[in-house]
Amino acid sequence: MNTHRTRSKPPIKKEPPTHVATASNEVWTWDITWLNASVKGKYYKLYLILDMFSKLIVGHEVWKEETADHAEYLIRKSTLSQGIAGRPLVLHSDNGSPMKAATFLATLEKLGVQSSFSRPRVSNDNPYSESLFKTMEYRPKYPLKGFSSLDEARQWVAKFVSCYNTEHLHSGINFITPYQRHYGLDKAIMNKRTQTYELAKAKHPERWAGSIRDWSLPEYVCLNPMNKTEVENFINTKNNASNKLSVKLA
């Protein structure tokens, strides 16, 4: 009874999706979450795109419904705001209907964006977007009783995005803001922190049991866990493909 039967398809084990970002605007993840309204059973839909490398929110919108048209508008708006139209970009998401709609996939193809999807019923394949939604919902000022209107929801989300991008010291990037990481301000900040710690240790060595705190930043970010060899192979493959494309276009 437990053996495979010929009339049914054999089970297929799907490998977890893997992407590696070594700079900003290489891999984006996005998802849609529901925001409670003040009326029970009513919700507003938050569309949000996150840069995997820098953790910057590059695009967001709040609407009353989930549609592929809204998703198309958001991805066009985000690529234009970042000035990366036509550049290689991976957009990862779960398997929701707006994400897999034919019109939305056609829009990604026109923009030169590579689509990527989580495994069915595996929320861990889109961890960065899920973690961001949890951070948002645990904010002290999050309206637990819901939003009274669509405009109120949009205003609150806009304030949250601004605070998250420019004020929130993200633990995943060694306590700098996503804005600083995304736009290349991180190296100067980390060098200054290192110098400050070294100077403090030189003045008061009795306060230090060992070396100073490590203020280095991760050189790459993976969608799913990978060992160092896998990461190096992935980056080499990606660089070779980019070089071939550049030669072909030239």
Side-chain angles (χ1 to χ4, degrees), residues 69-80:
D69 291 339
H70 293 333
E72 291 173 34
Y73 172 81
L74 179 60
I75 186 62
R76 289 181 184 276
K77 172 185 172 183
S78 301
T79 53
L80 287 173

Side-chain angles (χ1 to χ4, degrees), residues 224-239:
N224 278 307
M226 300 171 65
N227 59 46
K228 188 174 181 180
T229 303
E230 291 175 332
V231 170
E232 290 176 352
N233 292 336
F234 188 94
I235 293 175
N236 290 334
T237 302
K238 183 174 68 172
N239 290 338

Side-chain angles (χ1 to χ4, degrees), residues 113-145:
V113 178
Q114 176 187 345
S115 57
S116 171
F117 299 101
S118 302
R119 290 168 292 179
R121 299 175 295 279
V122 182
S123 60
N124 290 343
D125 283 348
N126 197 11
Y128 297 103
S129 292
E130 298 293 345
S131 177
L132 176 57
F133 289 148
K134 186 174 181 179
T135 298
M136 179 189 71
E137 292 170 0
Y138 276 79
R139 294 280 296 178
K141 294 184 179 181
Y142 184 79
L144 299 177
K145 294 184 179 180

Side-chain angles (χ1 to χ4, degrees), residues 79-100:
T79 53
L80 287 173
S81 67
Q82 291 296 310
I84 59 170
R87 286 173 49 187
L89 173 67
V90 175
L91 183 66
H92 180 78
S93 66
D94 59 20
N95 292 274
S97 56
M99 292 77 168
K100 304 196 80 171

Side-chain angles (χ1 to χ4, degrees), residues 34-215:
W34 291 18
L35 306 176
N36 291 328
S38 55
V39 179
K40 188 175 181 180
K42 184 178 179 181
Y43 304 93
Y44 301 112
K45 312 304 189 301
L46 169 60
Y47 297 60
L48 194 144
I49 301 177
L50 180 75
D51 185 275
M52 192 174 77
F53 181 78
S54 65
K55 310 300 185 292
L56 185 83
I57 299 174
V58 295
H60 75 280
E61 289 288 341
V62 181
W63 281 290
K64 292 183 178 180
E65 61 281 321
E66 291 185 19
T67 67
D69 291 339
H70 293 333
E72 291 173 34
Y73 172 81
L74 179 60
I75 186 62
R76 289 181 184 276
K77 172 185 172 183
S78 301
T79 53
L80 287 173
S81 67
Q82 291 296 310
I84 59 170
R87 286 173 49 187
L89 173 67
V90 175
L91 183 66
H92 180 78
S93 66
D94 59 20
N95 292 274
S97 56
M99 292 77 168
K100 304 196 80 171
T103 54
F104 178 68
L105 295 179
T107 299
L108 295 184
E109 185 176 356
K110 291 179 181 178
L111 295 173
V113 178
Q114 176 187 345
S115 57
S116 171
F117 299 101
S118 302
R119 290 168 292 179
R121 299 175 295 279
V122 182
S123 60
N124 290 343
D125 283 348
N126 197 11
Y128 297 103
S129 292
E130 298 293 345
S131 177
L132 176 57
F133 289 148
K134 186 174 181 179
T135 298
M136 179 189 71
E137 292 170 0
Y138 276 79
R139 294 280 296 178
K141 294 184 179 181
Y142 184 79
L144 299 177
K145 294 184 179 180
F147 298 96
S148 60
S149 66
L150 179 62
D151 288 338
E152 182 185 355
R154 286 174 171 171
Q155 291 174 8
W156 190 92
V157 171
K159 290 181 180 179
F160 166 76
V161 170
S162 177
C163 177
Y164 181 87
N165 282 344
T166 61
E167 299 178 21
H168 175 66
L169 301 179
H170 201 295
S171 60
I173 47 179
N174 223 341
F175 300 101
I176 59 174
T177 67
Y179 180 91
Q180 292 167 339
R181 176 69 160 164
H182 193 81
Y183 292 104
L185 306 176
D186 49 349
K187 294 181 179 179
I189 294 172
M190 291 309 181
N191 290 336
K192 186 175 181 180
R193 287 184 184 178
T194 301
Q195 293 173 5
T196 301
Y197 269 62
E198 289 176 345
L199 182 61
K201 183 179 179 180
K203 288 183 177 180
H204 301 282
E206 69 279 3
R207 299 180 181 178
W208 304 84
S211 59
I212 66 171
R213 180 169 180 167
D214 182 14
W215 288 111

